[in-house]
Amino acid sequence: MAETPQADVIVLFGGAGDLARRMLLPSLYFLDSDGFLPEGFRLVATARSDMTRGAFLDMVRADLAARPEGLDETVWARFSARVEYVAADATSPEGVAALKPHLEGVRAPIFYLALSPSLYGRVCVALAAAGLASDESRIVLEKPIGRDLESSRVINVSVGAVFDEDRIFRIDHYLGKETVQNLIALRFANTLFEPLWNNLTVDHVQITVAETEGVGERWPYYDEYGALRDMLQNHMLQLLCLVAMEPPADMEPDSVRNEKVKVLRSLRRFTRADAQAASIRGQYTPGVVGGKTAKGYEEERGEPSDIDTFVALRADIDNWRWAGVPFFLRTGKRLPERRTQIAIQFKGVPHSIFGNAAKDDLTPNRLVIDLQPDEDIELLLMNKAPGITQGGIRLQSLPLSLSLLKAYQGPGARRRIAYERLLLDVIVGNSTLFVRRDEVEEAWRWVDGVADAWKEAGLTPKPYAAGSWGPAGAFALIERAGRAWYD
Ligand code: NDP
Ligand code: BG6
């Protein structure tokens, strides 16, 4: 294995696409603003559109100026000087050869594929044929890596034929979110939680990723994937892994990823009975979200579809730590609020010493980790309610709060884009927060099992009004297990 030098160029395929414009180019600009881009570092944006460098820069500048942070002219002068634009078809060696003059003498280029995954294999072949893929170059792949286990293997094999696994950076942008990394710190930089982090003390775990946005114009992509493959296979299973994994020996990429993959392998296979009793699919119909009327998915798409825009299910991890602890996962579009939250529900006290008056107030502890919209960690603890009462004390549950919001206050402070952390890691060659091939494939194996079980059970999406918390079955499935969602 060759050493990992700091990269000196990033080639951004799909450089004028939606992801590049909304996330990647602003992230690189902010990294430059904070002094993280190495001296001489260059950005070569490429797409097929015939555009001059000037026109490309005008577009990027307008995008940055429209952001709430505004444009800093000094940073822009430095950043724009790093940027080049090349019009090329990435899928042919002749097209990719147009990049060659821009990569003369470059030791460690990053090839970032912000392209449709169906092109990944051909782009890698073209890079190799054009002699641009060296053993120090890195390749960054956006999700989704395939649509199921088989198609993900095809992509992994074709990329792997050109780049070694330790040069492949599979992005799951949730791993770049501040609170997701804070979850690792919370678990492994404190002695407090680890002894409690198991089936002796934890009753269940809830992971919710709720979005108010609909699918809109993305439906041609979404209709092939649905909530199960678009969100649960990647972002939600990654969150589950970080909650459930054993402590890694260190933060080396493979130490962390070995532990995550063990969790994925321990997920109990979904059966037809689980599909019926422990999962629900939904699809939004017209409704009201945030006071505004919203179309149904069928109206957005123009015709009926049997894809899920909402999914809720119970996952079980068959290992010593988590046996008997259900993990309830739910995600959906057009829900009443934007919320990404992990809730660790602890068991109640074994015996109450407080008598009948306080019995109903005694609620078990809960650790709530909010990722979005605010980044916040709260531990709900029982306290004595202030004041005096006849016959004993009254209890109340109050949060011990670790508000990360405060960290964003003060001059110049801002909330980082998740891609900033990840791009910086690619530049320095640290793949801890990227997804290894076996992780992607294990996640697909489990998700394929869910999709097969749904098919066997004939489970179709149930309608839910935009602005509601999903179909009634989402409540029934958790209530059947004697628990309730925290809405
Ligand atoms: P877009 O369709 O907006 O952009 C695709 C880009 O690829 C365009 O710049 C297009 O430009 C270029 N392109 C297409 N075909 C070729 C080709 N043969 N050779 C060279 N360039 C080509 O897609 P997105 O930016 O939305 O998505 C890109 C990737 O990121 C996908 O894998 C997607 O799943 C993933 N992703 C996107 C997210 C988002 O929020 N947008 C979120 C998470 C993942 P031109 O037509 O000029 O060639
Ligand atoms: C993307 C999905 O990966 O994540 C989108 O394709 C989803 O459908 C998005 O909207 C959510 O990301 P975030 O960071 O806004 O929660």
Side-chain angles (χ1 to χ4, degrees), residues 81-109:
R82 301 177 186 272
V83 178
E84 292 151 35
Y85 179 82
V86 180
D89 178 356
T91 57
S92 75
E94 305 76 47
V96 165
L99 295 167
K100 266 188 160 173
H102 300 263
L103 296 176
E104 291 296 342
V106 170
R107 187 174 164 209

Side-chain angles (χ1 to χ4, degrees), residues 1-4 135 164 166-167:
M1 193 174 92
E3 60 158 304
T4 307
D135 66 356
D164 290 342
D166 63 323
R167 303 278 161 198

Side-chain angles (χ1 to χ4, degrees), residues 204 206 328 473-485:
H204 75 277
Q206 296 187 13
F328 296 102
F475 297 92
L477 89 86
I478 193 165
E479 280 159 15
R480 236 175 265 130
R483 279 85 168 190
W485 296 110

Side-chain angles (χ1 to χ4, degrees), residues 126-404:
L127 285 170
L132 291 175
S134 71
D135 66 356
E136 283 174 355
S137 46
R138 289 153 222 180
I139 186 128
V140 186
L141 306 179
E142 266 298 334
K143 69 159 267 267
I145 310 283
R147 193 188 167 275
D148 51 23
L149 176 59
E150 203 184 319
S151 52
S152 76
R153 276 190 179 144
V154 170
I155 294 175
N156 285 328
V157 166
S158 51
V159 176
V162 178
F163 295 90
D164 290 342
E165 181 62 28
D166 63 323
R167 303 278 161 198
I168 303 174
F169 292 73
R170 294 181 193 80
I171 292 252
D172 184 310
H173 77 275
Y174 267 51
L175 296 178
K177 290 185 191 269
E178 197 76 26
T179 326
V180 174
Q181 291 156 57
N182 207 5
L183 182 57
I184 301 178
L186 190 77
R187 285 196 61 195
F188 304 123
N190 295 294
T191 48
L192 215 59
F193 293 113
E194 199 44 33
L196 306 178
W197 212 260
N198 56 48
N199 54 9
L200 299 177
T201 325
V202 174
D203 175 75
H204 75 277
V205 176
Q206 296 187 13
I207 303 180
T208 295
V209 182
E211 298 183 273
T212 51
E213 295 294 310
V215 175
E217 290 175 2
R218 281 181 81 212
W219 70 260
Y221 152 78
Y222 196 87
D223 214 53
E224 288 282 303
Y225 285 79
L228 178 70
R229 294 182 170 91
D230 181 52
M231 294 295 287
L232 200 134
Q233 185 271 344
N234 37 79
H235 306 322
M236 297 193 79
L237 286 186
Q238 283 294 326
L239 296 181
L240 177 142
C241 283
L242 293 175
V243 171
M245 71 181 183
E246 294 301 313
D250 50 42
M251 279 292 280
E252 288 302 307
D254 282 340
S255 309
V256 175
R257 299 185 300 182
N258 286 344
E259 297 308 333
K260 286 197 287 168
V261 90
K262 282 186 211 161
V263 174
L264 293 168
R265 286 195 184 123
S266 307
L267 281 171
R268 188 182 304 160
R269 195 179 162 75
F270 231 66
T271 62
R272 179 190 170 143
D274 294 325
Q276 281 156 340
S279 76
I280 180 91
R281 307 172 68 198
Q283 188 183 100
Y284 58 86
T285 56
V288 178
V289 185
K292 290 193 186 138
T293 54
K295 285 184 185 172
Y297 180 69
E298 189 178 317
E299 287 72 37
E300 285 175 345
R301 190 189 181 291
E303 55 181 276
S305 154
D306 64 356
I307 204 69
D308 38 89
T309 61
F310 177 97
V311 60
L313 54 78
R314 169 187 169 145
D316 284 273
I317 302 174
D318 285 332
N319 66 17
W320 272 53
R321 190 188 279 263
W322 296 115
V325 179
F327 281 65
F328 296 102
L329 313 183
R330 75 177 158 163
T331 183
K333 305 263 184 211
R334 287 275 186 245
L335 299 186
E337 60 182 81
R338 174 158 166 81
R339 188 202 305 167
T340 304
Q341 185 180 77
I342 302 170
I344 317 288
Q345 178 62 63
F346 293 98
K347 292 183 177 173
V349 293
H351 165 72
S352 167
I353 63 166
F354 299 101
N356 274 343
K359 202 172 109 231
D360 293 341
D361 302 327
L362 195 57
T363 48
N365 303 127
R366 188 187 313 154
L367 178 68
V368 182
I369 301 160
D370 281 313
L371 280 74
Q372 288 168 163
D374 298 326
E375 304 198 320
D376 217 347
I377 298 176
E378 281 189 350
L379 179 61
L380 294 172
L381 295 174
M382 290 310 295
N383 294 265
K384 177 194 167 296
I388 53 169
T389 45
Q390 280 185 337
I393 62 172
R394 296 297 311 262
L395 298 170
Q396 63 180 5
S397 174
L398 280 180
L400 196 64
S401 183
L402 192 69
S403 174
L404 302 178

Side-chain angles (χ1 to χ4, degrees), residues 13-24 46-51 85 88-92 112-120 122-123 141-144 173 218 221 230 235 419:
F13 290 97
D18 176 72
L19 183 70
R21 292 180 61 180
R22 284 192 308 110
M23 300 289 172
L24 307 178
T46 174
R48 288 166 307 178
S49 304
D50 198 10
M51 216 187 315
Y85 179 82
D89 178 356
T91 57
S92 75
Y112 195 121
L113 307 195
L115 296 168
S116 161
S118 61
L119 305 179
Y120 291 172
R122 282 153 69 197
V123 176
L141 306 179
E142 266 298 334
K143 69 159 267 267
H173 77 275
R218 281 181 81 212
Y221 152 78
D230 181 52
H235 306 322
Y419 282 92

